[in-house]
Amino acid sequence: MTLKGKTAVITGSNSGIGLGIARELARAGADVVLNSFTDRAEDHALAAQIAAEFDVAARYIAADMSDGDACRGLIAQAGACDVLVNNAGIQHVAPVDEFPVDSWNAIIAINLSSAFHTTAAALPMMRAAGWGRIVNIASAHGLTASPFKSAYVAAKHGVVGLTKTVALETAEEAITCNAICPGYVLTPLVEAQIPDTMAKYNMSREDVIKKVMLERQPSREFATVEQLGGSTVFFCSDAAAQITGTTLSVDGGWTAL
Ligand code: NAD
């Protein structure tokens, strides 16, 4: 499988899942465009490292995915977008009647509306190129709910709906649109929560992971960013050319329960 000559834009890719996906797409030969809202030397260094490691072109473009114009600007600045991975996302946890309005608006903007804006900007480029792949990083929470995550669950269900609609609108073209629904993934964000939870419950690291974090994940294992990268590369392959408008759960059995 080679993606040589293709350009992949991955939103929210200076850490965690997005960075893992960018690395696997680069390993498959794609030129990659990394993104987040910061514009630090270390962000650009991530792109330089990928370029050197996988012998591809790699750039970092700062753009705030909470701003629709900036989302469209990211795609315009990329100049090409054969593979679009909508990954940027944030979380806030609170009961629905206490949920801060600013947090609701930010989650809907970053986790859902950004995918609308980038897709709208990227589709004309994909049509001109005669080929395209859109991979939306939803969540197990795109298919099922948990209390206190109203905005996140609503946004991720919205991403799954957007995925199906875009798939139907592009069904007769060599463009596919699918969603990946991860369960818990051990990203730096999740890793950082482990010490506090160990202290709070007076538990070992292993117990915090298996009994608290992975309580709903039957495999009792985290999914990895490499596995999510591999799933994304699969969606870009010829084997997946007739797979569109669907969700791929990478959740250790969570949504089978
Ligand atoms: P993360 O915090 O490591 O990554 C989120 C990325 O989004 C970062 O690169 C961050 O800089 C970027 N981002 C945040 N706000 C942004 C903004 N306004 N503009 C541009 N970029 C922005 O978290 P992650 O775990 O890697 O999450 C990545 C995606 O995977 C999210 O959409 C998340 O909902 C989803 N997801 C994560 C898990 C998990 O267990 N980690 C599970 C299911 C789904």
Side-chain angles (χ1 to χ4, degrees), residues 8 20 29 95 123 131 142 145 156 246:
L123 270 181
W131 189 92
K156 295 298 188 179
T246 195

Side-chain angles (χ1 to χ4, degrees), residues 155-220:
K156 295 298 188 179
H157 276 67
V159 166
V160 172
L162 176 67
T163 300
K164 293 178 186 175
T165 305
V166 172
L168 293 179
E169 291 184 20
T170 56
E172 293 184 30
E173 303 167 83
I175 297 170
T176 67
C177 180
N178 292 289
I180 296 175
C181 295
Y184 263 105
V185 187
L186 191 53
T187 60
L189 198 82
V190 173
E191 179 70 50
Q193 295 167 22
I194 294 175
D196 280 355
T197 317
M198 284 170 67
K200 186 171 165 196
Y201 294 110
N202 193 23
M203 277 181 171
S204 67
R205 177 184 164 86
E206 194 173 78
D207 278 353
V208 163
I209 290 173
K210 301 223 159 149
K211 295 185 181 156
V212 181
M213 293 185 151
L214 297 179
E215 194 243 326
R216 291 179 72 182
Q217 199 145 307
S219 66
R220 302 283 183 259

